[in-house]
Structures are given as C-alpha cells and as structure tokens.
Amino acid sequence: MRICFVAPPNTVHTRRWLSEVANRGHEVILLSNISPPADWPDTWLFHQLPDDFPGQLTTNMWRIINWTRSHQLVPAGRWLWGARRLRQLWAELQPDLVHLHYLDHLPICAALSAFQPLVATPWGSDLLVEPKSFTASQKQLFRHALSRVNHFMCNSVALENACQAWGVPAERISSRQWGVDRHQFHPQIDTTHLRQRWHIPADTFIILSPRSLRPVYNIPHVLTAFAQVRAQIPNALLLQFGGSSLTPDLEQQAESLGLTPHIRWLPFLDEDELPAIFNLAHVAISIPSSDSLPTSLLEAMACGTIPLFANLGGVPDWITDKSNGRLLPPADPAALAQALLWTHAQPDSWWQNARQQNETIINQRADRQKEFDAVITTYQQLHTESTA
C-alpha cells in the first residue's frame, strides 16, 4: 500500500511509525509544512507544503472577515481552504490510505478534505487541551472533521474517552500502543561509556527526566524538586533531555539552586542511544500538566528504570502506586521530591520486584512488533473496505 502520513517530521515518534510501516514493505509519504531533518531517509517520500499554506491572499481575506465577525471565522476558514488545497494534492499523490498524527491545523484540513480511508492517532494535548481554546466555529468544524475519520488508534483510555466526547462512535476506536522495541529496550545494557562521557561516579543516584523543555512538562518544577532531593541525597544527579534548547531562565534557575554541577543537559539522541540512558538511570520522572501515555514511560519500564509519573491520561493503567512505580500529582514539585526520597529508601527486594512487574507488563501489553502487526491489519481492512 501507498500510505501518506500527515505528521510532524522532527520527532522520534513519527520516524518510528514510518519505519515500522516501511519495514513491512509499504510505501510511505510524509506530508508537512515543516522542513524534513537532514538525515531524512531517501526511500521515504517527503512532500513539503509552502510555508504560507494555505496562502497569504486568503489569510488577508479572512482577517477582513474576522474584523467584522467577532473573531469567529478566521481559523475555521483557514481549515476549509486548506481542505480544498489538500483535495488537489491527493489527486497528485494517489495514496491508498492517509494517517493523521497529532490533530492540529494540517491534519484537521486533511480530515475535512473528505479523503477515504482515513486513520487518526491523537497524541494527547491535541484532544485533551488545545480544543478548549477553539472558537465556536472551530469546535463545530473540528467535530465534523473527526466524524470523517474512519478509524482512531488511541494509546490510552483517556484519549478514547476524549474521542467519544467529540461524537466518535466507540466502534471506530481501537487501543493501539506505540510500543517498545524489545530487541533494543531491555535491562542489563552496559552503560560504562555513558558514565565515562558524563563523569558519573559509580555510587551516584541517577534521576532521568526524559521529557522536553516545553512548558507543559514543568521542568522548573523538576529542578525545584531535585534541589530538595539533593539536600538529603548528596550523590543525586539529574539527566535532563532537551538540552539543545536550554533556555536562559532554566539555566539561571539551576545555577541559583546550586544544581549546575549536578545536571547533565542532554540533547535529544538517536533511538539507538536511548536504551543505555534508561539503563543508566535508577528512576525516570515526569510531572506535566497534561499527558496521554508517554512512550518514555514504556521505555523506562522495559529497561528496569522505575517510573515516577504524573497521574494523568493512561499512566495509571500501567503504574500501581508504590508497587511498580509512583503515581504523582501533576505539576507538584514537593510531591515529586517526596516520591524520589521514598523510592530511594526502598530495600533492594522492592526494586527487584518492581522491575520484574514492569518487564512482565511490557512483554504482555507493549511489544512494538505485535502492536504494528495489528496496525497493518487495520490498514489493510480499511483499504479493502474502501475499494469494495
């Protein structure tokens, strides 16, 4: 099949999805108005829309309408015009199926374009947060766009419920995990090279914060909690992802708390490097304001890293508090600090039992190969139905 994805090109999640589909012999196309990374595979067709999609002329027209209609029509008008442009593009690309990832502007245009068959995978904030700020006309069009999707693949009950709240019938929704590659993510990976690279002594208590520096992930709260932990665990060290986009405010906060020597700001790394980083860490932490089911949770569990994650979205479906990890209030640095201290104090038997539970859960529920075999089966069924 020739499958067109409408998704952000600069995330590991998109690359994983396209890689799994391409490795099963299908032709993949990515459609975006963001430039592809320099290492984009030559065998994956990339179609880039112009930066001003769907056009500056129409944008100016919508602005005029907006001034006279109480700011209700402009965003919805852009979606409709984008849908018209995409109908022309489908005729050129001739995909057998279109799969939307993260339901923001361009995927909404694609859903409104009336292409069939259409699959959608919401990521979290696109259904749980962003629609709250939509205008009345946007909400109406968004609901209509979702009604045009043939099948939704959701990785948490929270997203399944959000789809149904927007009028999507339950029979159009399936539970599909992004999953973990069990050949890559597993315990007992040698981490000597990382300890040498980042000058980490053997007796260090290593905390991994695997989320980006985006505001939703509350990294300032993470730093506040880490400062409280270091007051009682002097050998604690924080590994924080997103270092390539480190802001002066975060850098200044870390310095003012005396944390600079005890943090390693990590850039986002290739997937091949992630398993060793998870193996290096004792715990993985995340206290965002909004979440669905982060892949980093599954990766941590697969590698024997104990997860301390906010009690949001689908996370409580995977963690039993104080049994195989900790469930925390979102955006609460004091609760995170206390959970870190509690976890650090547990005996070796607790750590071993928690790791065994997590390995069993991942093997049963989040094996990437099994999940994507099911994805391809759904693609084939939808394609067959659309051509019957």
Side-chain angles (χ1 to χ4, degrees):
M1 283 188 294
R2 183 176 173 88
I3 302 170
C4 181
F5 293 87
V6 184
N10 52 355
T11 75
V12 65
H13 304 306
T14 297
R15 294 182 74 112
R16 285 172 178 167
W17 203 287
L18 268 65
S19 178
E20 291 293 339
V21 173
N23 288 344
R24 286 166 169 78
H26 300 280
E27 183 181 2
V28 298
I29 309 169
L30 187 69
L31 176 63
S32 177
N33 52 11
I34 302 173
S35 299
D39 60 346
W40 190 259
D42 293 337
T43 55
W44 298 357
L45 179 62
F46 192 99
H47 192 99
Q48 185 172 353
L49 293 167
D51 292 337
D52 63 349
F53 176 87
Q56 190 59 45
L57 174 62
T58 50
T59 298
N60 290 335
M61 292 172 58
W62 292 324
R63 285 174 178 164
I64 294 172
I65 297 171
N66 196 49
W67 291 333
T68 62
R69 297 297 179 88
S70 302
H71 302 274
Q72 289 290 310
L73 299 180
V74 169
R78 287 178 60 83
W79 289 348
L80 290 172
W81 183 255
R84 181 177 182 274
R85 291 283 299 275
L86 284 177
R87 281 195 290 272
Q88 299 169 351
L89 186 59
W90 302 142
E92 175 186 338
L93 297 178
Q94 292 292 309
D96 295 310
L97 179 143
V98 172
H99 192 153
L100 315 176
H101 279 260
Y102 202 95
L103 303 176
D104 59 2
H105 172 66
L106 188 54
I108 293 171
C109 294
L112 292 170
S113 71
F115 181 89
Q116 300 283 306
L118 195 63
V119 177
T121 296
W123 286 18
S125 295
D126 50 344
L127 272 188
L128 302 175
V129 177
E130 293 173 10
K132 295 177 183 178
S133 63
F134 285 175
T135 65
S137 56
Q138 277 183 296
K139 290 177 180 177
Q140 184 177 358
L141 263 187
F142 187 63
R143 182 180 295 273
H144 180 64
L146 298 186
S147 74
R148 306 305 298 267
V149 176
N150 300 92
H151 193 83
F152 287 82
M153 297 179 179
C154 298
N155 67 356
S156 71
V157 174
L159 283 179
E160 293 176 24
N161 292 339
C163 285
Q164 293 186 59
W166 281 99
V168 177
E171 59 269 20
R172 292 192 189 178
I173 305 170
S174 65
S175 176
R176 283 275 75 82
Q177 300 306 322
W178 299 53
V180 177
D181 186 338
R182 300 300 284 125
H183 297 294
Q184 287 185 292
F185 290 86
H186 57 84
Q188 287 86 49
I189 293 175
D190 183 26
T191 61
T192 303
H193 64 294
L194 295 180
R195 289 184 177 274
Q196 293 174 346
R197 184 195 307 179
W198 296 324
H199 309 289
I200 301 175
D203 63 345
T204 305
F205 178 58
I206 302 174
I207 303 165
L208 173 63
S209 176
R211 315 305 291 274
S212 75
L213 305 186
R214 291 174 54 201
V216 69
Y217 296 125
N218 297 315
I219 304 306
H221 291 337
V222 169
L223 298 183
T224 299
F226 180 54
Q228 296 174 27
V229 168
R230 270 200 52 80
Q232 299 188 49
I233 308 176
N235 66 335
L237 180 101
L238 176 67
L239 304 178
Q240 174 61 60
F241 277 3
S244 55
S245 56
L246 179 61
T247 64
D249 288 347
L250 282 176
E251 196 170 16
Q252 184 177 4
Q253 181 189 2
E255 185 175 354
S256 67
L257 292 171
L259 300 177
T260 301
H262 312 293
I263 301 177
R264 303 294 183 269
W265 299 96
L266 310 183
F268 283 104
L269 304 170
D270 292 337
E271 186 171 23
D272 292 344
E273 299 182 85
L274 292 177
I277 294 174
F278 278 101
N279 270 262
L280 178 65
H282 294 88
V283 297
I285 61 174
S286 176
I287 52 169
S289 301
S290 172
D291 220 342
S292 174
L293 181 65
T295 302
S296 55
L297 168 64
L298 307 183
E299 292 168 343
M301 295 171 68
C303 291
T305 314
I306 304 302
L308 285 64
F309 274 56
N311 189 0
L312 292 169
V315 173
D317 297 332
W318 297 78
I319 297 177
T320 300
D321 191 40
K322 296 187 177 181
S323 179
N324 64 328
R326 294 299 309 268
L327 289 173
L328 309 175
D332 189 333
L336 173 58
Q338 289 301 314
L340 282 165
L341 294 172
W342 182 91
T343 305
H344 179 265
Q346 296 311 298
D348 290 345
S349 58
W350 182 91
W351 285 79
Q352 182 178 359
N353 181 264
R355 287 168 175 150
Q356 289 175 345
Q357 288 186 60
N358 288 336
E359 186 172 7
T360 299
I361 292 170
I362 293 300
N363 287 336
Q364 292 177 346
R365 299 174 55 194
D367 184 287
R368 186 180 297 170
Q369 296 304 310
K370 296 177 182 176
E371 292 298 309
F372 274 89
D373 286 346
V375 167
I376 297 300
T377 297
T378 300
Y379 285 169
Q380 292 169 336
Q381 290 173 344
L382 292 171
H383 177 56
T384 300
E385 292 170 2
S386 69
T387 56

